């Protein structure tokens, strides 16, 4: 009977590692895996600004451009129009004040519209961080269900400071100005990190 | 020597958590990681229906459209033609019977043809579930090696009921009607789940 | 007090499983998760060759083609030009010597240019292995930051011999011949494997 007590104590210890955060440590950085949707291992809120080229007059400011014309299926919702972007991403809602202010990150990738009866979109892109605070990339993809107040896409990988990250980004449309500008709030929660 | 017995017993217990399913639990949902390709933590079979717009006459029924014309490299295999889709996904082989029958999910994304000598394709899309049974998305990408009887693509992330999912989807062409309709059987097996 | 000794011994053993490599084993293949960026569970160096169709004269050799014309935003950096490819991937720097020599793999997917002031690109593709040595696919995506000497993209999934793989691929431009040929060295390190 004397042996059973330590045994149970160790099980508690071992499950401590597994429940909550599973921890695998080595070489400076430790792998953290969250045990719960409520406890991300890393979290940030960022704003994505898309400034679409109008084809003529806003070349200096535009950060994205339509690479395809919408095919004939559903012209009013731009079904099939694919937009390539290299967009600024900021910590606050305001655009960077001129070329000398660096954005927090850049979002490089594409979206296309894929709604027939109503607007809908799909995204794949990298968040590219290149500051003293954060260096590296996060890679994201998923459906931007424009009919929903908020919608979740996947963080499927990361590099540099975000080595091997995974998580979920919640998108919310924060501003729209016609076809040529929109801003998304992105709440990014990572559940797999190396820290 | 008395101490060794409980020690071994605990190792068995600790490896029980790691072998088979590694379990990390908290807050309602538990993280499950499968230890073996034969033991997915979640599994389903679905059918994907692609109804391509012919550019003129099937606008009411079409759920996808070519966003690019195939470039000149290999016209007979449509090399470079990119198709954007918002396709119905069903549990059985039949298409939903009219607008009032909801499909099990929608597949939103794109494919393009990338075979020069023979047909081949590449897919990236989200499965969007929005029923009482399942709500959330799965995000998939990979090569649709059309010369193979079955081919595997990756489930790289998930949201909602499929929070942080990963796995493999096995595709099999189930029906083809000319260029304008094809149906894929998708056997989806998840090996990382929160349940 | 006698009970404490085995207890500590077991904790060491349990953390051995977690630190370094977390091991979950069953059914032939074991799941390996690396605990450190310096200790991948699998590693290889491959060369990617892109031979772009010039639209007329190199149809026999070309393995990729532009599916979109660059929109007007930034013509000199081809902003928005999307290229679909089925490119050979080799273990050495040389292209396969004729049709009878099989490449180590094929890279099937797409890239587009997304740099406004200077060249930049974004990739998503599958590495398709089909030899006696390796059979299966790896799925990758990320920003190809062309201004950097090396840049990392994510391995977000795998199938077959690379079942459920994740990792990082480091790209380095190894050769460029005008617009029509470039070669990338890809150092691929996997940190999640089933072996």
């Amino acid at each position: 009977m004397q042996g059973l007590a330590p045994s149970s104590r160790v099980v508690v210890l071992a499950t401590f590692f597994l429940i909550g955060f599973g921890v695998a440590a080595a070489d400076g950085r430790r792998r953290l895996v969250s045990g719960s949707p409520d406890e991300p291992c890393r979290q940030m809120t960022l704003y994505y600004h898309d400034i679409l080229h109008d084809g003529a007059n806003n070349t200096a400011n535009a950060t994205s451009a339509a690479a395809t014309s919408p095919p004939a299926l559903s012209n009013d919702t731009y079904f099939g129009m694919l937009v390539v972007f290299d967009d600024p991403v900021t910590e606050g809602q305001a655009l960077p004040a001129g070329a000398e202010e660096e954005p927090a990150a850049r979002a490089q990738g594409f979206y296309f519209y894929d709604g027939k009866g109503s607007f809908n979109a799909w995204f794949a892109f990298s968040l590219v961080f290149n500051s003293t605070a954060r260096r590296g990339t996060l890679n994201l993809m998923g459906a931007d269900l424009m009919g929903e107040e908020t919608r979740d896409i996947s963080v499927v990988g990361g590099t540099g400071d975000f080595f091997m990250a995974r998580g979920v980004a919640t998108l919310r449309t924060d501003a729209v100005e016609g076809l040529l500008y929109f801003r998304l709030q992105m709440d990014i929660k990572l559940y797999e990190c190396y820290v």
Side-chain angles (χ1 to χ4, degrees), chain A:
Chain A
M1 285 308 289
Q2 216 175 3
L4 277 177
S7 163
S8 334
R9 221 177 304 148
V10 175
V11 173
V12 170
L13 235 157
T15 49
F16 169 78
F17 280 112
L18 290 160
I19 294 174
F21 280 170
V23 175
D27 201 79
R29 291 213 264 187
R30 280 182 320 152
R31 181 165 187 262
L32 289 189
V33 177
S34 176
S36 153
D38 296 340
E39 293 166 5
C41 44
R42 195 160 178 178
Q43 188 166 357
M44 54 190 151
T45 297
L46 295 170
Y47 293 88
Y48 162 100
H49 307 262
D50 189 59
I51 308 164
L52 186 62
H53 193 216
D54 63 8
N57 298 313
N58 68 345
T59 303
N61 292 325
T63 56
S64 71
T68 65
S69 305
L73 179 56
S74 178
N75 287 324
D76 48 346
T77 58
Y78 299 94
F79 191 108
M81 187 172 91
L82 187 152
V83 172
V84 167
F85 56 80
D86 176 9
D87 281 343
V89 170
T90 55
E91 307 217 1
Q93 290 170 302
L95 274 168
E100 67 280 3
E101 186 185 335
E102 280 296 306
R106 299 201 74 90
Q108 301 179 347
F110 69 104
Y111 63 82
F112 51 80
Y113 290 106
D114 62 354
K116 199 178 160 189
S118 55
F119 272 102
N120 204 39
W122 196 91
F123 276 77
F125 62 102
S126 304
L127 286 174
V128 180
F129 299 87
N130 189 15
S131 67
T132 47
R134 293 182 281 227
R135 201 172 298 270
T137 67
L138 285 174
N139 294 311
L140 299 94
M141 67 180 266
D144 178 22
L145 304 166
M146 291 169 67
E148 310 284 326
E149 171 71 17
T150 63
R151 49 274 182 187
D152 290 344
I153 65 173
S154 292
V155 180
V156 298
T159 68
D161 287 351
F162 301 98
F163 177 71
M164 292 293 286
R166 289 186 76 225
V168 172
T170 301
L171 308 183
R172 192 180 61 75
T173 305
D174 196 50
V176 180
E177 295 173 13
L179 186 65
L180 296 185
Y181 175 74
F182 67 90
R183 181 171 68 230
L184 298 177
Q185 180 186 310
M186 301 190 293
D187 283 322
I188 299 171
K189 295 180 180 171
L190 304 181
Y191 297 94
E192 299 187 22
C193 309
Y194 281 73
V195 292

